[in-house]
């Protein structure tokens, strides 16, 4: 079932409220590393769909390697294995995502 633009926007807003600046941080990390080559410099929301499926899975991660697996799995799901490419392509952005996740978890406990 395809979501409407309004449904997608509502989901983005819900996740932004739930995860705060982490939503935009993860989107920025993916945009900067651009693992599948869709950064055209003005489409900064291009990775929002993937962020929406990655963020809820981070709570089950215990390391940057776990995040790499999650991020790669989501890109394979969204874009097929050939487009997503090898898992190691996601290592650097996943390390940054893990760091931001850890910071967010610490800030939530304060």
């Amino acid at each position: 079932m395809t979501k409407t633009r309004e449904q997608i926007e509502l989901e983005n807003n819900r996740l932004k409220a739930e995860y705060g600046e982490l939503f935009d941080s993860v989107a920025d990390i993916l945009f900067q590393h651009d693992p599948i080559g869709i950064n055209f410099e003005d489409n900064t929301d291009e990775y929002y769909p993937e962020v929406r499926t990655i963020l809820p899975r981070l709570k089950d991660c215990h390391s940057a390697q776990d995040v790499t697996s999650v991020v790669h799995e989501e890109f394979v799901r969204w874009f097929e294995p050939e487009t997503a490419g090898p898992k190691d392509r996601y290592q650097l952005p996943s390390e940054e995502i893990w760091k931001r996740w850890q910071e967010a978890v610490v800030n939530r406990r304060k």
Side-chain angles (χ1 to χ4, degrees):
M1 179 175 172
T2 304
K3 293 182 178 184
T4 66
R5 179 177 287 278
E6 184 177 316
Q7 290 170 317
I8 291 168
E9 193 61 35
L10 285 171
E11 188 173 350
N12 284 347
N13 291 337
R14 181 186 65 77
L15 286 170
K16 285 181 178 186
E18 181 177 348
Y19 291 98
E21 65 183 43
L22 187 63
F23 185 97
D24 287 325
S25 292
V26 172
D28 289 343
I29 291 166
L30 293 174
F31 188 73
Q32 290 169 9
H33 286 274
D34 197 24
I36 59 166
I38 58 174
N39 174 342
F40 299 109
E41 296 185 23
D42 61 349
N43 57 333
T44 56
D45 63 348
E46 195 66 37
Y47 286 108
Y48 280 14
E50 296 76 26
V51 172
R52 287 195 311 266
T53 59
I54 290 168
L55 281 177
R57 295 185 62 192
L58 292 179
K59 69 182 180 313
D60 297 322
C61 293
H62 303 285
S63 67
Q65 292 80 13
D66 290 346
V67 176
T68 302
S69 294
V70 164
V71 173
H72 182 251
E73 288 167 11
E74 290 302 330
F75 273 82
V76 166
R77 188 170 72 82
W78 281 96
F79 298 101
E80 300 180 349
E82 299 79 27
T83 303
K87 187 176 180 178
D88 64 352
R89 179 184 293 177
Y90 300 87
Q91 182 180 347
L92 289 176
S94 295
E95 288 173 2
E96 290 182 35
I97 291 168
W98 176 245
K99 181 180 176 194
R100 296 279 173 86
W101 173 255
Q102 293 296 98
E103 291 168 357
V105 167
V106 167
N107 287 336
R108 284 184 184 179
R109 290 181 185 157
K110 289 183 179 181

